[in-house]
Amino acid sequence: MGTLVKIILASFLCISCTRAFDVCSTNARWRSVGNRIELDGKEYQVKGANWWGLEDPGIRMLTGLDKASLGTYLNFLTTNNFNSIRIPLSVDWVLHPERVVQPWSVSAEPALVGKTSFQVLDHIFLEAQKRGLSILLDFHWFITFNEGQLGLWYSKGNCQPNPEGECRQFTEQDVMNAWSTLVGRLKTYSNFMGVDFINEAYSTTWGTNIATDWDGYVNRQAADILSRHPDFKGLFWIEGIADAPNPAGCNFQQTPGHWWGGNLEFVQCKPLTVPADRLVWAPHTYGPSLYAQSYFNDPSFPNNMPAIWNAHFGYLASTQPVVISEWGGMYQGATKVFQDALARYMASKKMGSFYWALVGRPGEVNTVDGLVTPNNGGTLTVIPGKLPMLAIATPSPAVVRFTATCTPSSDSVTSAATSTQAATVATTAAVTSSATVASVTSATTGAPPVVTSTTGAGSTTGTAPCTIGVRQTFTNSWQANGATVSQYSSTVANNGGQAVTLKFKFTGGALVEYWSLTANSDGTFGLPSWMTTLAPGASFDFGYSTSASAPLTLSFITPSCNNPSVAAVATTAAVSSTAAVTTAAATAAVTTATAAATSAVTSSSSSTTAVNSGCRLSISQKQTNSWKEGPTTMTQFDVTVTNTGASPLRSLELSTLQVSSISQIWNVQTMANGNYGMPSWLNGNLGAGASFTFGYVIRSASSTTFATVNC
C-alpha cells in the first residue's frame, strides 16, 4: 500500500520537476518543432481549460464573473498547474468592438464595468500573463448557437439577430477580416498562443468539394493571416472534421464514430499547406454521456479506445503536436471510465489538452460539467475527482514567467522594436521575358532604380517587358544569440502587361526565416504555393527575417512571361517620392506602376468571344439552385470556361463588377486585386479545347457578367 501511495503522489507532484522559464511579455515566438510546441525555444506542454461566455450574445463575458473575480479563477488554474486557456468568441462579437460590457455580467470584476470588447480582451490577457497563463482564441459561433453556421466556416440558412437587432450572414471574407482584426490587436502579447479558426466544422469535407472543403479553407485562412500580419508569432490550431467521404487518393478504410472536430484521418493522404512550424492539430473527443458511439458498447471498452484514438488523430502525434482542444464530461459511470482512459492515453503520447470546461454550461449538467462551480460570495466549489485525473493526463506542464525584463539569451528571442523604427524600402525592376538575372536592390537616394536584363529583345520590339515592383517594409527587430535580427514585410507586384512566374534568390546577407514563399531545391524561391502565376496588376505579400544590417536583395533569375507571343498592352509607370522614409540602411522613394489590359467577354448561357488576337474563350452559365435568405434571393450558378482557341492558355484573369454581391465562389483562385484566375490544379495550363467549371452564389435572381482582363 505504501508503494502505491508513493506512485500516486509522484504522478501529482511531478510538476515540481518541471523547470520554470522566463519569457519576455511581448513578442515572444511560438513554434511547432517536431511533435512538440516551443515558446522561445523552450518546450511548452499544454495543460488548459476552456472558458466560455464571450461568444454567447446573452452574456458577452467570461461566464462566472458575476459571482467570483477574474483573479479567483486564474489563481485556481495556476494553483492546479494549468498554463493555458482556450476562449471561444463569436465573429459578430469581434466585428462589434464598440459594445460595452453588461454590468451584471462583471459584478464580481468591477474593473471591467464600462469596458468595450477589445478592452475586455486586453484586461484578460494582462491578468493571465501576470500568472503565467497563455490564451488560445477560437471562433465558436457567428452570432449565437444554431443560427446558420450549419457546420461550415461561413454561415447560410437560418439567422438570429445579434444584440443590435441585425440578422446577417457571414462570408469567408468576413471571417478572415475578423481574424485579421484580432491578430492585429493582440499579436504583441507573448501569451497569445494562437488561433483555432472555427469550432467543430461538422458539415465540411476534405478534398472533395471546394464549397465545403475544410482543408482548402484552412490553407487560405493561414495564408491570409501571414500575408496581412507577417509579424504574427502564434500558432494555427487545426481541428478535424466529422464523418466525410474519402477524397481521391485516400484509399483506406476509415474508423467510424468521429466526433465533430475529431476526424483527422485524411491528413495522411491529403496534407495541408500550412507551414509545419506553425501547425498544431487540435481535435475534439468526448465520452458516452454526450453521445453513445457504438465503440462504447464494445465488450473490451475502454481497452478498445487507444486504437480508435490512434486512427482518428493520434497517429499524427509522432510528427506534429497534437493537443485535444475539447474533451470532458460528467465524472461518473462510463464517462468517468472514458476520461480516465483518455488521460492515460494522452500521457503516453505527450499530448496536451484543453478540458471542457472551467465552468459548466447551464443545460449541459447531465452531459458535460465543469471543473468548478462559482458560489455567491466569490468562492469556487471544485468538482471531485477531476483534478487528479488531469494531473495524470499532463504530469509536467510548462511553467512560464512572463517578464518585462527582456534579457537576450541563447535560447530566447526578445523584442527590440520601437514604433519609430518602421520604415519602407521600395524598389522596382523591369525585366524582359527572356531575362537571365536582374537584381532588385534598394535605392539610397533619388528615384528607385530600374534594372533591365542585358539579354532578350527588350521593350523596343513591341512586346512589353515583365515589370516587377518590390516594396520592402521594416517591421521589427530583436536580439538572438547576441546578434540583431531584422524582420521585413515585402510586396511583389506585377506592373507589366503579362502574367509571370517568378524565381529569385536572396542576396546580401543571411536569411534567418521566411514565410509565404515556395522554397526550391536549388536554393531559389518562387510564388506562394497557392499561386501558379502572378497576373498583371496583381501582387502578393511575403516576409522574412535576416541578420544583415539592411534589407536583402531579391535577384530575379526567371521572371518568365506567360503567352509571350501575345502582344501585351503597353504599361505606364508613375514614379512618386511622396512617401520617402529612412532606415539605418537606406532612404528610398516609393514606386507605383499601373497596367491597363482589358478586353471584355460577356457571360451568357452560351457564348464565344474573341479575346485579343491570341486566344478565344467560351463562357457559359447554368443556374443550379435558388433560395431566400430573409428578403434576399440567393442564386447559385455553375460557370464553364472553355478554351476554343488553337493554343493552350497559360493564364486567365476574370473580373466582375458585381463582386460585392457574390457571397461564395469556388474552384477558381481569388487574386489579390479581387479578380479570379484558373483553379490551382490546372497548374497554369488550359489546353486547346479544354474547359473547367467553377461555381458561385450571388445575392440576386440573375447571374453576374464576367469580363476577361487577361488571357
Side-chain angles (χ1 to χ4, degrees):
M1 179 63 72
T3 302
L4 178 60
V5 170
K6 290 179 182 178
I7 293 173
I8 294 174
L9 287 174
S11 70
F12 292 162
L13 299 177
C14 187
I15 186 65
S16 63
C17 63
T18 301
R19 184 175 64 87
F21 59 94
D22 292 344
V23 173
C24 183
S25 60
T26 58
N27 293 305
R29 185 175 109 157
W30 295 85
R31 287 295 184 268
S32 293
V33 180
N35 65 348
R36 70 183 198 172
I37 295 170
E38 291 188 356
L39 175 58
D40 269 1
K42 296 289 189 179
E43 183 173 6
Y44 190 97
Q45 185 75 8
V46 175
K47 181 180 180 180
N50 287 272
W51 196 353
W52 65 277
L54 284 174
E55 83 285 10
D56 190 316
I59 302 174
R60 308 203 302 269
M61 181 50 58
L62 295 175
T63 189
L65 294 186
D66 58 330
K67 294 185 177 180
S69 69
L70 178 64
T72 298
Y73 293 100
L74 299 181
N75 291 340
F76 164 81
L77 290 172
T78 54
T79 299
N80 290 284
N81 304 321
F82 289 83
N83 56 23
S84 306
I85 311 168
R86 179 175 178 257
I87 296 180
L89 301 174
S90 74
V91 179
D92 181 73
W93 188 89
V94 174
L95 297 179
H96 281 276
E98 76 284 356
R99 286 183 187 144
V100 176
V101 169
Q102 301 174 102
W104 72 265
S105 67
V106 292
S107 54
E109 185 68 16
L112 290 178
V113 174
K115 300 297 186 184
T116 60
S117 298
F118 289 162
Q119 289 171 336
V120 168
L121 278 182
D122 286 334
H123 183 74
I124 294 169
F125 268 83
L126 287 170
E127 290 301 309
Q129 194 174 79
K130 291 176 185 177
R131 296 163 174 84
L133 293 165
S134 297
I135 295 175
L136 171 67
L137 299 178
D138 97 274
F139 277 157
H140 225 64
W141 299 338
F142 289 104
I143 295 177
T144 185
F145 179 69
N146 198 30
E147 42 58 48
Q149 180 172 343
L150 300 181
L152 299 169
W153 64 92
Y154 53 89
S155 65
K156 60 185 293 187
N158 183 39
C159 176
Q160 294 182 15
N162 66 9
E164 289 75 26
E166 301 167 345
C167 190
R168 58 168 293 184
Q169 300 297 330
F170 295 86
T171 66
E172 176 178 305
Q173 193 61 54
D174 290 331
V175 175
M176 287 185 173
N177 290 343
W179 272 128
S180 181
T181 297
L182 276 176
V183 170
R185 173 79 183 212
L186 302 169
K187 60 187 175 184
T188 60
Y189 287 106
S190 289
N191 61 332
F192 182 24
M193 60 200 310
V195 295
D196 179 347
F197 294 146
I198 294 289
N199 185 66
E200 295 182 349
Y202 58 85
S203 294
T204 55
T205 53
W206 196 293
T208 61
N209 182 351
I210 190 69
T212 57
D213 279 345
W214 176 244
D215 57 319
Y217 160 68
V218 165
N219 290 333
R220 294 190 299 273
Q221 179 66 82
D224 184 78
I225 290 175
L226 291 177
S227 174
R228 297 202 222 183
H229 302 282
D231 54 342
F232 172 58
K233 297 178 175 62
L235 299 167
F236 300 124
W237 300 66
I238 311 303
E239 296 182 26
I241 59 176
D243 293 331
N246 282 35
C250 290
N251 301 316
F252 64 89
Q253 183 69 38
Q254 295 184 53
T255 300
H258 301 105
W259 291 96
W260 290 356
N263 182 4
L264 288 168
E265 293 198 51
F266 302 130
V267 178
Q268 60 190 291
C269 51
K270 190 171 177 53
L272 300 178
T273 60
V274 176
D277 66 346
R278 298 295 188 106
L279 176 62
V280 178
W281 299 112
H284 294 186
T285 189
Y286 281 99
S289 67
L290 195 63
Y291 181 78
Q293 300 278 12
S294 60
Y295 41 71
F296 295 142
N297 297 321
D298 190 296
S300 64
F301 175 81
N303 295 332
N304 61 323
M305 294 308 302
I308 293 167
W309 292 322
N310 280 339
H312 287 179
F313 51 78
Y315 73 96
L316 294 165
S318 62
T319 56
Q320 286 284 145
V322 176
V323 176
I324 298 179
S325 57
E326 280 191 29
W327 66 297
M330 304 292 291
Y331 200 58
Q332 59 190 33
T335 300
K336 176 184 181 299
V337 174
F338 168 86
Q339 291 179 82
D340 289 342
L342 182 56
R344 294 190 297 270
Y345 175 80
M346 287 192 293
S348 71
K349 295 281 189 177
K350 291 196 69 176
M351 292 180 183
S353 75
F354 292 89
Y355 193 83
W356 188 279
L358 175 59
V359 181
R361 189 190 296 276
E364 293 182 343
V365 293
N366 293 322
T367 54
V368 181
D369 61 356
L371 295 173
V372 299
T373 300
N375 307 305
N376 293 326
T379 61
L380 305 176
T381 298
V382 179
I383 305 299
K386 290 191 173 185
L387 292 178
M389 178 263 296
L390 289 169
I392 292 172
T394 313
S396 301
V399 180
V400 179
R401 292 184 296 258
F402 293 102
T403 174
T405 304
C406 304
T407 304
S409 65
S410 60
D411 55 14
S412 67
V413 180
T414 56
S415 173
T418 65
S419 59
T420 59
Q421 289 176 303
T424 299
V425 177
T427 59
T428 300
V431 185
T432 67
S433 61
S434 56
T436 52
V437 176
S439 296
V440 178
T441 58
S442 55
T444 55
T445 59
V450 175
V451 182
T452 305
S453 72
T454 56
T455 63
S459 60
T460 60
T461 64
T463 300
C466 301
T467 306
I468 303 300
V470 179
R471 183 177 66 248
Q472 302 202 56
T473 302
F474 173 85
T475 57
N476 203 357
S477 70
W478 59 86
Q479 295 293 314
N481 299 321
T484 299
V485 177
S486 298
Q487 180 175 291
Y488 293 89
S489 176
S490 304
T491 300
V492 175
N494 179 5
N495 296 328
Q498 302 180 45
V500 298
T501 55
L502 300 178
K503 188 176 184 180
F504 64 90
K505 286 186 176 181
F506 287 102
T507 59
L511 182 67
V512 176
E513 189 181 22
Y514 67 90
W515 49 92
S516 296
L517 288 173
T518 298
N520 303 315
S521 58
D522 60 357
T524 62
F525 296 87
L527 293 168
S529 59
W530 64 89
M531 300 181 73
T532 54
T533 60
L534 188 63
S539 63
F540 71 96
D541 297 323
F542 70 94
Y544 69 90
S545 58
T546 177
S547 57
S549 60
L552 300 181
T553 297
L554 275 61
S555 295
F556 286 90
I557 298 171
T558 55
S560 59
C561 289
N562 291 332
N563 237 2
S565 63
V566 178
V569 177
T571 63
T572 58
V575 178
S576 168
S577 60
T578 58
V581 290
T582 303
T583 66
T587 301
V590 176
T591 295
T592 60
T594 59
T598 60
S599 56
V601 171
T602 302
S603 63
S604 64
S605 58
S606 180
S607 66
T608 303
T609 306
V611 180
N612 295 330
S613 59
C615 63
R616 294 177 63 85
L617 286 179
S618 169
I619 300 179
S620 63
Q621 300 199 48
K622 180 176 68 174
Q623 179 178 322
T624 59
N625 200 359
S626 181
W627 64 91
K628 286 280 190 180
E629 293 187 357
T632 304
T633 298
M634 309 293 289
T635 311
Q636 180 174 323
F637 292 90
D638 282 348
V639 184
T640 299
V641 180
T642 303
N643 176 10
T644 59
S647 302
L649 294 182
R650 303 301 183 188
S651 66
L652 174 64
E653 184 175 356
L654 302 176
S655 67
T656 176
L657 296 177
Q658 294 177 269
V659 64
S660 62
S661 297
I662 295 177
S663 66
Q664 300 170 45
I665 192 165
W666 53 91
N667 208 32
V668 285
Q669 295 190 79
T670 301
M671 299 177 173
N673 61 1
N675 292 340
Y676 306 107
M678 292 185 196
S680 58
W681 52 266
L682 282 174
N683 294 318
N685 187 359
L686 184 63
S691 63
F692 68 90
T693 299
F694 68 93
Y696 68 93
V697 174
I698 189 170
R699 300 179 186 91
S700 172
S702 58
S703 64
T704 186
T705 297
F706 288 95
T708 299
V709 178
N710 176 71
C711 78

